[in-house]
Amino acid sequence: MVEQSDRAPLLDWEELPPAGPTAAFPSPEKENASEPSPANPRALGSTAPGTGWSTSPGGAANVAAVVSGDTSFTGAVVHTGPGWDAQNPKGDLAFPDWEGVSTKDHRAAEWEEKDQIVAVFVVTFDTRSGNMVEWCLPQDINLDGVEFKSMASGSHRITSDFIYFRKGCYFGLACFANMPVESELERGARMKSVGILSPSYTLLYRYMHFLENQVRHQLQCPGQYSPLEAFYEDKKALLPPAGNGLITTCPTSAWGATLNRCMHPEMKITHPAGCMSQFIRFFGEQIMVLWKFALLRRRILIFSPPPIGVVCYRVYCCCCLANVSLPGVGVAVPEFRPFFYINVADITTLETELSYVACTTEKIFEEKKELYDVYVDNQNVRTHRESLQAMLRINSADREKYRKLSEQRQMLLYSQEVDGDCTSSEEDLFILFFMEQNNRIFQTLSEVAGSADPTLTTDHVRAMGLDPQGDRGFLVDLLELYGIDAMLVIDNPCCP
């Protein structure tokens, strides 16, 4: 387990340097549903497409891209790590080298995302009033509901946690701590959370260490807000006049050139390996089930008792499964929106959402089946929708994809250990594995739909890495959702 750093003093919110090379996974026995809250979690970001849902700087990766002048990501990607072959089997996709990127895009790679902190706040638990915002800046900002988002239900049973959440068009990060006190008025425990809001969640990780220090400071010295005031004055956002909070954190010209840093951020949970690797190890072959539901933009709800911080990372990882870098794909489908932590106060909002992935500590959501399509409890993925039941079954093509993913990971780890090659990480491999798989599917579907005979055959399905029988329902839903004009002629096997 990563030890808690005491590198920074109380008032130091200096950005932490990039992490070193990732280490191998811990034994599977140590991974369970109630993993301890990370001592020094680092980053959270997303490559999910859509306006306002941005990416984040991360570790170096062997990735290159060329972009057009519009706001959509149109570049293809190539990964040169061990065991990786990003080429489409048909050789149709172009994967340019870094040398092909213009000088303008090289300059764009030096662009840094700016601080956009729109609020800082302290939430406390009052034995008579419950959760309440005790202090905030600016004082006129609407923080209704933040007192419940930043202190998860059930947190009184743990000593510390961190929580990512959404508040309207903003994202929040809060650090929670619970300290025993000899006070009858406080019933023997003092609980607080210190948090921030931003239009993007990709840089919130920079302030994790500061927030952890500050929540301990607030527990020990309640009412001393001067460090938070200084922090807000230093980091407060300069929002555009429109005030809609949707800030594109990467300029259009920088999308491709910064892909090697924006593909995914550094992440730490309880060990040096990143969260995507731990996510896939945690779910095993079930990751392929989540992958299909993510591509179909289903409403996915993940339940876990506190601590909830690690589960917020699983929300992020689910979004990464649906990445597609082909131009125009997914423009007309619902956006796969990360909601992170939710509670009963979010029910009204979720009733109108067509697609999302979220996590909760409140078991009551399990009964509200109208709010979700897929329910994840520990490693158990299930759905109450009859039309989706078949997708819960792992088929031969799913096992083959998982086998290839595991092989590539082993080759990467071997290369890192024997050759000292640290230019690629497990996160690069996993994220690009699913992006290449998604690109292959949509490339094939696009070619078939544009041909003289727009008929999907068994050979087409196998070329996409899918099972002609086991994935038939998945393909039918995919064609309908994405509006692809192709006909699937594979019939279900006859039953005796």
Side-chain angles (χ1 to χ4, degrees):
M1 184 169 181
V2 177
E3 294 181 358
Q4 174 62 48
S5 170
D6 57 359
R7 180 188 67 83
L10 180 63
L11 302 185
D12 179 15
W13 51 79
E14 177 184 356
E15 296 161 11
L16 297 177
T22 58
F25 282 106
S27 62
E29 291 79 6
K30 293 182 180 179
E31 295 188 1
N32 52 63
S34 299
E35 298 169 48
S37 181
N40 186 22
R42 291 288 302 279
L44 190 61
S46 172
T47 50
T51 305
W53 307 90
S54 55
T55 53
S56 170
N62 286 334
V63 184
V66 172
V67 294
S68 64
D70 61 17
T71 57
S72 62
F73 170 58
T74 60
V77 296
V78 60
H79 190 82
T80 58
W84 181 264
D85 181 10
Q87 294 289 349
N88 186 302
K90 298 183 180 181
D92 297 319
L93 295 180
F95 296 97
D97 294 325
W98 174 254
E99 287 76 9
V101 180
S102 67
T103 303
K104 178 180 178 182
D105 285 333
H106 274 297
R107 289 197 302 268
E110 300 175 358
W111 177 85
E112 284 290 343
E113 197 171 358
K114 301 302 180 183
D115 297 300
Q116 295 286 353
I117 304 301
V118 298
V120 58
F121 56 86
V122 177
V123 167
T124 189
F125 175 77
D126 183 86
T127 55
R128 290 169 294 185
S129 305
N131 295 9
M132 57 183 294
V133 177
E134 87 174 38
W135 176 89
C136 69
L137 277 179
Q139 296 181 355
D140 59 347
I141 191 167
N142 179 9
L143 293 180
D144 290 346
V146 163
E147 65 270 28
F148 300 107
K149 293 177 180 290
S150 57
M151 195 177 289
S153 177
S155 293
H156 61 279
R157 295 191 293 266
I158 60 176
T159 57
S160 63
D161 198 3
F162 67 97
I163 307 170
Y164 282 87
F165 60 89
R166 275 192 59 199
K167 163 62 178 169
C169 58
Y170 298 127
F171 290 93
L173 170 63
C175 287
F176 165 84
N178 183 352
M179 183 180 75
V181 293
E182 294 182 2
S183 169
E184 292 185 5
L185 182 63
E186 295 177 281
R187 297 179 186 173
R190 182 176 298 159
M191 294 178 283
K192 292 182 184 290
S193 279
V194 176
I196 52 180
L197 290 181
S198 172
S200 167
Y201 58 82
T202 60
L203 292 188
L204 292 177
Y205 75 96
R206 290 184 174 182
Y207 312 114
M208 182 81 75
H209 186 69
F210 173 73
L211 295 175
E212 287 173 333
N213 276 330
Q214 279 301 298
V215 72
R216 290 193 297 268
H217 177 62
Q218 289 298 319
L219 288 174
Q220 295 164 3
C221 308
Q224 295 187 9
Y225 308 119
S226 55
L228 295 174
E229 292 171 349
F231 171 83
Y232 176 71
E233 287 303 317
D234 183 51
K235 303 294 183 182
K236 64 182 178 181
L238 297 176
L239 299 179
N244 58 11
L246 296 178
I247 295 179
T248 302
T249 58
C250 233
T252 299
S253 60
W255 271 100
T258 57
L259 184 61
N260 62 325
R261 301 189 311 114
C262 290
M263 175 62 70
H264 62 90
E266 314 144 39
M267 290 193 175
K268 284 193 176 182
I269 302 184
T270 57
H271 52 82
C275 83
M276 177 63 79
S277 305
Q278 193 183 48
F279 171 76
I280 294 179
R281 281 291 298 273
F282 180 79
F283 284 107
E285 291 180 344
Q286 290 272 48
I287 195 70
M288 297 304 167
V289 174
L290 292 173
W291 163 66
K292 293 174 190 177
F293 288 134
L295 268 190
L296 291 176
R297 299 295 195 264
R298 295 299 180 176
R299 300 172 298 171
I300 302 175
L301 182 59
I302 305 173
F303 168 80
S304 175
I308 199 65
V310 172
V311 191
C312 288
Y313 284 145
R314 292 176 192 161
V315 170
Y316 156 79
C317 293
C318 278
C319 288
C320 289
L321 297 176
N323 291 337
V324 180
S325 65
L326 298 179
V329 174
V331 173
V333 301
E335 191 175 14
F336 202 43
R337 300 160 66 98
F339 268 71
F340 299 109
Y341 176 72
I342 61 170
N343 54 35
V344 292
D346 296 300
I347 288 178
T348 302
T349 300
L350 294 180
E351 287 174 341
T352 61
E353 290 296 324
L354 300 176
S355 175
Y356 72 83
V357 56
C359 61
T360 186
T361 61
E362 300 184 8
K363 197 70 174 176
I364 190 174
F365 274 98
E366 185 176 8
E367 303 172 7
K368 298 187 175 298
K369 296 181 179 180
E370 71 280 3
L371 298 179
Y372 62 85
D373 302 310
V374 180
Y375 190 82
V376 183
D377 186 344
N378 195 8
Q379 288 143 313
N380 182 23
V381 182
R382 61 180 186 265
T383 176
H384 58 279
R385 299 197 177 279
E386 188 65 31
S387 61
L388 302 179
Q389 293 292 333
M391 293 182 209
L392 297 176
R393 293 191 287 270
I394 305 293
N395 58 49
S396 58
D398 294 330
R399 293 189 178 93
E400 177 65 13
K401 284 192 287 289
Y402 188 76
R403 183 190 65 79
K404 289 181 179 179
L405 185 59
S406 300
E407 277 185 0
Q408 290 181 11
R409 174 184 170 269
Q410 291 301 322
M411 293 178 70
L412 175 63
L413 294 178
Y414 178 81
S415 177
Q416 290 176 341
E417 180 178 353
V418 176
D419 303 328
D421 179 12
C422 298
T423 57
S424 303
S425 72
E426 292 179 85
E427 275 59 55
D428 296 328
L429 187 150
F430 284 133
I431 291 178
L432 290 173
F433 178 90
F434 284 101
M435 180 180 286
E436 190 274 337
Q437 178 66 41
N438 298 339
N439 285 350
R440 182 186 305 180
I441 289 175
F442 286 108
Q443 181 81 20
T444 303
L445 293 178
S446 177
E447 290 174 356
V448 171
S451 66
D453 180 18
T455 302
L456 275 174
T457 66
T458 298
D459 290 339
H460 288 131
V461 176
R462 288 187 176 134
M464 291 187 286
L466 300 176
D467 185 296
Q469 299 298 339
D471 287 319
R472 188 180 189 281
F474 168 65
L475 265 175
V476 170
D477 288 353
L478 202 68
L479 292 172
E480 181 180 357
L481 176 66
Y482 287 83
I484 299 172
D485 190 13
M487 181 181 300
L488 186 63
V489 296
I490 305 166
D491 294 325
N492 282 321
C494 295
C495 299

